[in-house]
């Protein structure tokens, strides 16, 4: 059952908020956070960077460890699977939750771009040589599949994409699931670097992933309050200290805007897109 907040939206309400009333506000606890990008391989490192307490770590690993995956799977898994598994594992550890029992939602703008590039090139030149194994790893729900098998998770899993609104779309899906079913939900969002001709269109230069374990009831701290709003509200930008990382991928930029609020490095009030014409007005309460 959803926990409803009577507190006005960050001290101000739009006409849309007033019409919707407090019943449209979703309140959840954030029980665990995970993050990975080159130079900040975990949430403490990225939180410190967002607060201006440190720079990018020069000693950080160049690839996600993805310790939840068996060694054989780690060697064969594509970058998107490693990235998603790493941040999901971090969030579950921070939340002290066994991943086997957590429903999960995975969100990505583009999925596994390197394999998509390979398939496009192979289909154009030698279609009969297309690898079934690589095709299997190219599908959008591959990270969710790898995760649920490695974690022995028998709860439901979803793979979400919404182009430039993918982060908000996945977050809304996970929040709604947690409140509707009264259970914690793992949400992981990720995008890998572009390659080949697709790089001219996607322009993603650095891999980034983030994950949250959302708890229904809003008893855990910090708390996240979400209200649906129309498309008139401006999108909250990522902080200037990570502008270089955020500039070429909206999912990264939107995730960093939320993480900056969670780190205490930005306003606790923010607005992010969840679909065409739908925005999420959010407030963080520490």
């Amino acid at each position: 059952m959803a926990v409803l907040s009577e507190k006005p939206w960050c001290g101000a309400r739009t006409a849309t908020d007033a019409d919707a009333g407090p019943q449209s506000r979703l309140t959840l606890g954030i029980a665990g956070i995970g993050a990975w990008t080159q130079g900040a391989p975990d949430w403490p490192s990225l939180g410190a960077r967002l607060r201006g307490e440190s720079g990018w770590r020069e000693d950080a690993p160049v690839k996600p460890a993805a310790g939840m995956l068996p060694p054989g799977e780690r060697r064969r898994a594509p970058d998107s699977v490693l990235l998603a598994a790493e941040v999901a594992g971090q969030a579950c550890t921070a939340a002290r939750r066994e991943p086997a029992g957590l429903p999960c939602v995975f969100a990505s703008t583009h999925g596994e771009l390197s394999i998509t590039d390979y398939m496009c090139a192979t289909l154009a030149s030698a279609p009969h040589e297309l690898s079934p194994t690589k095709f299997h790893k190219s599908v959008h729900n591959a990270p969710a599949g790898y995760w649920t098998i490695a974690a022995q998770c028998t709860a439901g899993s979803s793979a979400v994409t919404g182009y430039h609104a993918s982060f908000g779309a996945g977050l809304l899906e996970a929040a709604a699931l947690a409140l509707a079913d009264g259970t914690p939900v793992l949400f992981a969002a990720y995008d890998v670097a572009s390659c080949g001709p697709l790089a001219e269109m996607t322009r993603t230069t650095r891999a980034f992933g983030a994950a949250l374990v959302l708890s229904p009831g809003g008893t855990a701290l910090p708390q996240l309050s979400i209200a649906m709003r129309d498309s008139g509200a401006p999108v909250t930008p990522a902080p200037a200290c990570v502008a270089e990382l955020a500039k070429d991928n909206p999912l990264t930029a939107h995730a960093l805007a939320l993480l900056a609020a969670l780190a205490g490095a930005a306003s606790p009030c923010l607005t992010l897109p969840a679909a065409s014409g739908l925005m999420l007005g959010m407030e963080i309460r520490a």
Side-chain angles (χ1 to χ4, degrees), residues 116-253:
T116 301
D117 177 71
Y118 152 80
M119 290 198 304
C120 289
T122 304
L123 288 170
S125 59
H128 294 294
E129 297 178 9
L130 187 71
S131 164
T133 300
K134 287 193 174 182
F135 173 79
H136 156 77
K137 294 177 180 178
S138 74
V139 296
H140 202 78
N141 64 343
Y146 271 86
W147 171 260
T148 53
I149 292 171
Q152 300 182 10
C153 177
T154 57
S157 63
S158 302
V160 174
T161 187
Y163 194 41
H164 286 171
S166 293
F167 181 80
L171 179 62
L172 181 59
E173 172 78 8
L177 180 61
L179 293 173
D181 291 350
T183 183
V185 172
L186 169 65
F187 168 55
Y190 60 93
D191 266 326
V192 296
S194 310
C195 63
L198 292 174
E200 298 178 10
M201 299 177 62
T202 61
R203 304 183 187 279
T204 303
T205 57
R206 289 175 64 177
F208 176 85
L212 307 171
V213 174
L214 302 175
S215 297
T219 56
L221 291 175
Q223 292 180 8
L224 171 65
S225 179
I226 304 174
M228 269 60 76
R229 313 176 76 184
D230 62 30
S231 58
V235 175
T236 302
C241 64
V242 289
E244 190 69 21
L245 173 61
K247 70 177 183 178
D248 56 8
N249 185 289
L251 180 145
T252 299

Side-chain angles (χ1 to χ4, degrees), residues 25-200:
R25 195 175 297 281
L26 311 178
T27 302
L28 306 105
I30 300 178
I33 304 173
W36 193 95
T37 192
Q38 190 169 353
D42 50 39
W43 170 234
S45 298
L46 183 58
R49 178 72 180 115
L50 290 167
R51 290 187 296 270
E53 297 170 356
S54 66
W56 300 114
R57 282 178 47 187
E58 295 183 0
D59 63 339
V62 297
K63 293 187 71 172
M68 278 291 299
L69 301 178
E73 293 297 335
R74 284 202 300 272
R75 288 192 295 270
R76 294 186 292 268
D79 290 344
S80 60
V81 169
L82 297 176
L83 180 58
E86 172 63 21
V87 296
Q90 287 183 24
C92 290
T93 298
R96 298 181 181 179
R97 290 279 184 175
E98 287 295 332
L102 287 179
C104 50
V105 176
F106 287 79
S108 176
T109 309
H110 306 295
E112 182 51 58
L113 285 171
S114 63
I115 297 182
T116 301
D117 177 71
Y118 152 80
M119 290 198 304
C120 289
T122 304
L123 288 170
S125 59
H128 294 294
E129 297 178 9
L130 187 71
S131 164
T133 300
K134 287 193 174 182
F135 173 79
H136 156 77
K137 294 177 180 178
S138 74
V139 296
H140 202 78
N141 64 343
Y146 271 86
W147 171 260
T148 53
I149 292 171
Q152 300 182 10
C153 177
T154 57
S157 63
S158 302
V160 174
T161 187
Y163 194 41
H164 286 171
S166 293
F167 181 80
L171 179 62
L172 181 59
E173 172 78 8
L177 180 61
L179 293 173
D181 291 350
T183 183
V185 172
L186 169 65
F187 168 55
Y190 60 93
D191 266 326
V192 296
S194 310
C195 63
L198 292 174
E200 298 178 10

